[in-house]
């Protein structure tokens, strides 16, 4: 797990190296253990390394061999198997790293090598002989890759803030992305970001950039939802056993490392199941970590009673992190700094503070993100069954604003259309699955998951040099979940099949309870110092000069924050304030 940056140009100039050096400096938290830089044929590559596999310098990057230059962020969990295959083909290895396996897999199989990878990854490979630059991203977009077309060439990096070190980029707000941010619960689908001049490579994509500027994209994986004809004979019990076996394999894969691996334990079904499956496979003295906040608005700020139960049951080395409100407020600016894009979920600051503490003990953890999206754990899936207007049903449960309210929120220059609703409508019109629930699961897994929970976990953990692995997003788990009949996922108020197999592994107490979230009540019920905090940002001279939000709308939010809550129980005031504070934090 690392961070990388680069600049590719057919007209190289000395300043390109300086730009990459600045980008790499920005990426230092992602890779605190070492750094590297390489200049060749109009290309500058920079890298920051977090040593997880092969702790020696032999695994350093940029890595050059066989006429290829490589920078890589992520982990190939099946690298030992790939290495064995490549050795059989005659390849020799000078390191024990998964980085070298990736490089030689590319040499052996070309861009199609990604189809053999099980892991999370983003990479840039330069072919010295042809001059081609090849960029790739994993199937679920777990690892980020941002791009910016510059007048001199192409800049790319693991984070958006790193690209801001390149002068001359278009940093004006993109109206399409802005509409998504304020309507589609801050989800801005690839290739867009909030800034016009910065894009992101879509998940499951390999992009080949030729020396003459031509670009070719290859989408190498298509997520499918819905029963297949050959699956009709499979019984419910057989589905459950297949899923249990696949999850066992997934958590075992994610223990591959030359350092200890822990678990972020919320006390809910998903993270508890990870702990249970690891214990089942003989993991002892497992380190687990939970975070909690002060109560606010009559709402509890922690779920320690459940995480404590799992920790006691399995005898883990458990660490409880309690965050007082004063620490929370002081931490918010640092959390904004760690965001590649503004993300409204309250648990950003929770993951940030949790990661800070975990990084004092470990470099790698497993985390439970993704289960709700692939196993229908959210409250909007059941109403979609039999809905006469699935798009309206989905939007009414998930979207933060309709277009009329969006136009009341921002100034007229940004009234360029209801892009978010059009996007959802286009996705529901695609032949993905057999009904509205399948279509929603496809949309949430392939888009919302990537640009909300997955991005949140990457940004907040890597801000402290902590690698988070997500076993529910092993592509084999996701593929199997897509095939499982929707009725088995919707059963038992959502995630029915996961709950059923969970009862065979973990105490049922953490399953048969109301669904929990990562609670940070102070950011939902904005009052006192938190209200003053957002007031100062929204009423600042920079905010007024920007002219992004309608002042009468801001006044209504500031006068009564508790009355303006989204269908997903979020604060509309926090959403607009976060965007302004993110822009100010990054000097935009």
């Amino acid at each position: 797990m690392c961070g990388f940056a680069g600049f590719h140009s057919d007209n190289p100039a000395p300043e390109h190296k300086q730009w990459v050096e600045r980008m790499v400096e920005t990426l230092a938290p992602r890779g605190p253990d070492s750094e590297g830089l390489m200049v060749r044929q109009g290309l500058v590559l920079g890298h920051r390394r977090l040593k997880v596999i092969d702790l020696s310098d032999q695994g350093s990057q940029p890595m050059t061999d066989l006429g290829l230059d490589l920078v890589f962020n992520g982990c190939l969990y099946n690298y030992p198997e790939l290495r064995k295959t490549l050795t059989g083909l005659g390849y020799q290895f000078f390191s024990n790293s998964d980085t070298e396996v990736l490089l030689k897999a590319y040499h052996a199989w070309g861009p199609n090598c990604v189809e053999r990878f099980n892991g999370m990854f983003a990479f840039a490979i330069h072919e010295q002989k042809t001059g081609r630059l090849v960029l790739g991203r994993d199937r679920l977009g777990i690892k980020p890759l941002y791009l910016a077309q510059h007048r001199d060439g192409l800049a790319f990096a693991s984070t958006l803030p790193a690209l801001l070190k390149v002068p001359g980029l278009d940093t004006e707000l993109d109206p399409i992305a802005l509409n998504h941010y304020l309507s589609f619960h801050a989800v801005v689908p690839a290739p867009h970001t909030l800034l016009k001049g910065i894009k992101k490579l879509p998940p499951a994509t390999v992009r080949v950039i030729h020396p003459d500027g031509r670009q070719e994209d290859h989408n190498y994986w298509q997520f499918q939802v819905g029963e297949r004809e050959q699956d009709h004979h499979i019984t419910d019990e057989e589905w459950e056993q297949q899923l249990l076996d696949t999850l066992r394999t997934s958590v075992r894969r994610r223990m591959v490392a030359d350092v200890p691996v822990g678990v972020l334990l919320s006390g809910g079904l998903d993270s508890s199941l990870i702990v249970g499956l690891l214990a089942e496979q003989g993991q002892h003295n497992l380190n687990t970590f939970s975070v909690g906040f002060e109560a606010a608005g009559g709402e509890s700020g922690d779920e320690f009673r459940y995480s404590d139960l799992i920790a006691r049951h399995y005898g883990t080395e458990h660490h409880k992190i309690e965050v007082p409100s004063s620490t929370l407020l002081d931490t918010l600016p640092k959390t904004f700094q760690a965001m590649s894009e503004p993300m409204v979920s309250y648990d950003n600051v929770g993951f940030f503070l949790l990661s800070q503490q975990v990084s004092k003990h470990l470099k790698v953890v497993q985390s439970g993100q993704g289960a709700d999206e692939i196993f229908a754990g959210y409250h909007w899936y059941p109403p979609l069954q039999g809905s006469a207007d699935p798009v309206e049903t989905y939007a009414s449960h998930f979207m933060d604003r309709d277009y009329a309210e969006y136009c009341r929120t921002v100034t007229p220059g940004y009234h360029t259309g209801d892009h978010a609703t059009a996007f959802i409508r286009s996705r529901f019109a695609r032949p993905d699955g057999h009904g509205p629930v399948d279509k929603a699961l496809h949309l949430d897994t392939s888009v919302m998951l990537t640009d909300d929970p997955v991005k949140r976990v990457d940004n907040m953990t890597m801000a402290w040099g902590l690698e988070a692995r997500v076993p529910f997003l092993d592509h084999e788990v996701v593929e199997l979940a897509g095939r499982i009949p929707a009725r088995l996922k919707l059963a038992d108020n959502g995630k029915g099949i996961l709950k059923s197999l969970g009862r065979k592994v973990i105490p049922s107490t953490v399953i048969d309870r109301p669904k929990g979230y990562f609670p940070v009540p102070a950011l939902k019920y904005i009052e006192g110092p938190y209200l003053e905090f957002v007031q100062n940002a929204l009423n600042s001279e920079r905010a007024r000069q920007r002219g992004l939000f309608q002042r009468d709308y801001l006044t209504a939010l500031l006068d009564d924050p508790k009355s303006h809550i989204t269908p997903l129980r979020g604060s509309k005031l926090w959403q607009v304030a976060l965007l302004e504070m993110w822009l100010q934090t990054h000097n935009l």
Side-chain angles (χ1 to χ4, degrees):
M1 183 74 75
C2 310
F4 67 80
F7 197 90
H8 184 244
S9 175
D10 60 2
N11 188 24
E15 56 265 31
H16 299 167
K17 179 174 179 286
Q18 297 169 5
W19 297 345
V20 173
E21 288 173 337
R22 292 174 196 154
M23 287 195 283
V24 169
E25 183 179 356
T26 302
L27 297 170
R30 295 183 71 94
D33 294 334
S34 67
E35 66 177 301
L37 193 75
M38 185 211 75
V39 182
R40 190 196 311 279
Q41 296 175 227
L43 176 69
V44 185
L45 292 176
H47 190 266
R48 292 290 315 208
R49 186 182 179 203
L50 179 68
K51 294 181 178 179
V52 170
I53 293 175
D54 188 349
L55 308 186
S56 75
D57 291 339
Q58 295 298 108
S60 297
Q61 301 181 47
M63 182 176 285
T64 295
D65 195 22
L66 301 173
L68 300 173
D69 305 308
L70 167 69
V71 284
F72 160 53
N73 168 31
C75 182
L76 302 185
Y77 304 123
N78 64 334
Y79 85 93
E81 296 90 338
L82 291 170
R83 179 181 173 124
K84 184 176 180 181
T85 300
L86 290 163
T87 300
L89 294 175
Y91 285 90
Q92 296 181 335
F93 289 82
F94 55 81
S95 77
N96 293 311
S97 69
D98 57 337
T99 303
E100 187 183 2
V101 169
L102 194 160
L103 185 149
K104 287 175 176 170
Y106 183 90
H107 186 270
W109 302 303
N112 291 334
C113 65
V114 290
E115 298 174 13
R116 300 172 182 256
F117 296 163
N118 185 297
M120 53 182 183
F121 54 86
F123 63 79
I125 291 178
H126 172 237
E127 300 176 353
Q128 297 170 17
K129 186 175 181 179
T130 67
R132 296 196 310 176
L133 177 68
V134 181
L135 308 175
R137 196 174 178 200
D138 65 68
R139 295 167 180 83
L140 277 304
I142 301 168
K143 291 294 100 189
L145 183 49
Y146 291 88
L147 314 166
Q149 199 63 52
H150 187 272
R151 61 180 178 272
D152 285 1
L154 177 71
F156 51 93
S158 295
T159 70
L160 185 151
L163 286 174
L164 295 176
K165 297 299 182 181
V166 177
L169 300 182
D170 184 353
T171 58
E172 292 293 315
L173 286 174
D174 179 348
I176 296 175
L178 180 65
N179 177 251
H180 275 95
Y181 171 82
L182 289 169
S183 303
F184 196 29
H185 198 56
V187 175
V188 178
H192 296 285
T193 74
L194 275 165
L195 307 183
K196 287 182 179 179
I198 298 180
K199 307 298 181 185
K200 51 201 174 198
L201 188 71
T205 299
V206 172
R207 177 169 296 172
V208 179
I209 302 166
H210 296 269
D212 61 7
R214 287 182 297 115
Q215 297 186 7
E216 301 164 357
D217 277 7
H218 170 54
N219 182 270
Y220 63 89
W221 183 75
Q222 292 285 346
F223 175 50
Q224 297 181 26
V225 183
E227 294 179 77
R228 296 151 176 78
E229 186 174 345
Q230 62 268 31
D231 293 337
H232 291 168
H233 70 282
I234 300 177
T235 67
D236 295 358
E237 292 75 18
E238 288 171 337
W239 279 122
E240 189 176 307
Q241 188 60 50
Q242 283 189 45
L243 180 57
L244 181 55
D245 291 343
T246 307
L247 283 171
R248 283 172 172 150
T249 300
S250 180
V251 298
R252 184 171 63 250
R253 280 178 178 144
R254 280 154 185 78
M255 294 302 288
V256 62
D258 294 328
V259 295
V261 180
V263 178
L264 301 183
L265 177 62
S266 69
L269 165 64
D270 310 331
S271 60
S272 299
L273 186 54
I274 293 172
V275 173
L277 291 172
L278 289 172
E280 183 186 78
Q281 296 178 30
Q283 294 291 330
H284 300 293
N285 301 316
L286 188 68
N287 276 270
T288 54
F289 302 83
S290 301
V291 66
F293 300 87
E294 292 178 10
E299 185 173 341
S300 173
D302 71 70
E303 293 192 315
F304 286 150
R305 63 189 181 280
Y306 296 111
S307 58
D308 286 352
L309 187 157
I310 292 295
R312 286 195 303 270
H313 185 82
Y314 291 107
T316 71
E317 298 290 331
H318 192 51
H319 310 261
K320 286 196 297 186
I321 299 156
E322 301 183 57
V323 181
S325 291
S326 57
T327 302
L328 177 63
L329 190 61
D330 293 341
T331 302
L332 287 173
K334 300 173 185 175
T335 309
F336 304 149
Q337 186 71 43
M339 294 181 183
S340 274
E341 300 172 69
M343 296 174 283
V344 298
S345 295
Y346 307 133
D347 56 5
N348 279 292
V349 66
F351 272 113
F352 184 86
L353 288 164
L354 180 60
S355 301
Q356 180 184 20
Q357 296 303 316
V358 175
S359 67
K360 296 176 182 178
H361 302 269
L362 298 172
K363 288 185 176 183
V364 185
V365 288
Q366 297 201 39
S367 187
Q369 277 65 41
D372 285 308
E373 289 80 3
I374 65 175
F375 294 113
Y378 292 124
H379 67 276
W380 55 84
Y381 297 122
L384 284 165
Q385 277 191 307
S387 171
D389 187 349
V391 173
E392 173 57 32
T393 301
Y394 180 89
S396 67
H397 285 82
F398 187 80
M399 294 186 71
D400 296 331
R401 291 171 178 78
D402 60 19
Y403 190 60
E405 185 178 353
Y406 171 78
C407 289
R408 296 196 301 273
T409 306
V410 296
T411 49
Y414 296 101
H415 299 176
T416 61
D418 189 0
H419 306 289
T421 302
F423 177 79
I424 295 170
R425 195 171 299 281
S426 71
R427 296 292 300 225
F428 271 78
R430 290 168 41 164
D432 298 324
H434 303 305
V437 174
D438 284 348
K439 293 178 184 292
L441 288 168
H442 191 283
L443 170 60
D444 290 348
T445 300
S446 58
V447 178
M448 183 270 280
L449 178 64
T450 298
D451 276 293
D452 187 7
V454 164
K455 180 168 60 184
R456 179 163 68 248
V457 172
D458 173 83
N459 285 189
M460 297 303 111
T461 56
M462 290 308 294
W464 297 101
L466 178 67
E467 175 175 313
R469 300 174 173 181
V470 280
F472 287 105
L473 297 185
D474 186 298
H475 73 270
E476 293 179 0
V477 174
V478 174
E479 289 169 352
L480 178 59
R483 291 169 50 209
I484 293 172
R487 62 178 176 81
L488 294 179
K489 290 177 274 195
L490 291 170
D492 201 4
N493 297 312
K495 294 199 291 193
I497 189 170
L498 197 63
K499 292 175 180 177
S500 180
L501 72 84
R503 292 188 182 96
K504 298 177 179 178
V505 180
I506 61 177
S508 59
T509 309
V510 300
I511 301 173
D512 301 318
R513 68 178 181 92
K515 179 176 175 59
Y517 294 89
F518 209 153
V520 189
L523 299 185
K524 178 178 177 181
Y525 304 101
I526 300 176
E527 54 193 4
Y530 296 92
L531 182 57
E532 182 179 355
F533 183 70
V534 300
Q535 280 176 328
N536 290 339
L538 291 170
N539 291 326
S540 67
E541 185 61 26
R542 291 178 69 181
R544 292 180 181 276
Q545 289 180 353
R546 195 186 314 280
L548 171 58
F549 297 115
Q550 304 262 25
R551 298 309 303 182
D552 56 346
Y553 183 81
L554 292 184
T555 299
L557 296 185
L558 289 165
D559 285 349
D560 190 7
K562 294 181 182 179
S563 295
H564 297 87
I565 303 296
T566 72
L568 291 178
R569 300 186 297 278
S571 165
K572 293 182 180 181
L573 174 59
W574 179 250
Q575 187 182 44
V576 298
L578 172 63
L579 175 54
E580 178 59 40
M581 291 185 286
W582 182 84
L583 291 168
Q584 291 188 20
T585 298
H586 295 287
N587 297 314
L588 295 166

